[in-house]
Amino acid sequence: MCVNESEILRAIRSLVPGSAGGLDGLRPQHLKDLSCASTGDAGHRLLTRLTEFTNLCMSGRVPIVIQPVFCGASLCALNKKDGGIRPIAVGSTWRRLIAKAICKAVMEKMAATVMPVQLGFGVPRATEAAVHAARRYVTDLKSGQGLLKLDFSNAFNTIRRVTMFESVRELLPEIYPFVLMCYSNASMLRFGPHLIMSDEGVQQGDPLGPLLFCASSLKLAKKYEIGIQHLVS
């Protein structure tokens, strides 16, 4: 799998302005400023090198000595409404850029694979449409009908990585080398002065997170769909 310069430029522009950097301190705004139109030929040369770098990383060829930082993240603890903590992983800007380019490249393929069982990735505004459809369904609920809602506790962080690798290799083999490199070893997560080694789940904050969660849970979602169809029939 390879991407071109226009795809990398689109991925840079999609990075959220003002967002924080990872363990290396590089922020998305740095790449935005260095690749904007006003930088002229220097910006274009940077874009060319970033494209080459991205394609190199997609093949999983990041040196082992760099991987702990490249695949690691700074943790940000957000308070949940129920009093719990939501750990958001702020990964390396380089990895986030590559992840965004990957998501865009496989979006149509993944959407065609998961629809209509899943709506969490690749289908614009599908989640909002599902919420409105559910509300309308509940409003007009008839005798003998019901709506089942399931909520997985800490879903992203509890995915078994072995299952994730198997799902990605089956559904999206073109991104398997990159995903394997990012998650085959324990992720180095830093929270203030504390260092946490994580070897389970997907980093919540990784742009690949929704894609990897949908791929990993697709078989489970299809089992629920089959089970509900049997109950209805």
Side-chain angles (χ1 to χ4, degrees), residues 11-30:
I12 292 175
R13 290 173 176 172
S14 71
L15 292 168
V16 180
S19 57
L23 296 174
D24 58 3
L26 182 74
R27 294 172 177 266
Q29 192 62 46
H30 292 145

Side-chain angles (χ1 to χ4, degrees), residues 58-181:
M58 282 183 178
S59 65
R61 290 183 290 165
V62 173
I64 295 178
V65 68
I66 299 175
Q67 287 182 16
V69 175
F70 182 84
C71 303
S74 299
L75 283 182
C76 176
L78 301 182
N79 292 323
K80 291 184 178 181
K81 293 181 180 179
D82 60 4
I85 298 292
R86 186 185 305 279
I88 301 299
V90 183
S92 163
T93 297
W94 303 114
R95 180 161 69 96
R96 283 147 63 189
L97 171 66
I98 297 167
K100 281 183 171 291
I102 287 176
C103 286
K104 184 65 176 178
V106 303
M107 184 174 291
E108 291 186 6
K109 177 181 178 180
M110 191 61 183
T113 301
V114 302
M115 280 286 286
V117 179
Q118 289 179 330
L119 303 174
F121 178 83
V123 187
R125 295 178 292 279
T127 304
E128 292 84 348
V131 171
H132 289 298
R135 285 177 177 172
R136 183 171 182 178
Y137 178 77
V138 171
T139 301
D140 298 331
L141 206 62
K142 298 178 175 56
S143 177
Q145 295 180 334
L147 178 68
L148 175 64
K149 177 185 176 183
L150 301 176
D151 187 6
F152 294 99
S153 177
N154 206 16
F156 277 32
N157 294 324
T158 54
I159 292 176
R160 294 179 66 246
R161 290 188 180 178
V162 172
T163 301
M164 179 180 72
F165 293 144
E166 292 175 350
S167 301
V168 171
R169 186 165 51 187
E170 177 184 348
L171 300 174
L172 299 165
E174 60 270 36
I175 71 171
Y176 179 73
F178 182 75
V179 174
L180 183 67
M181 181 197 68

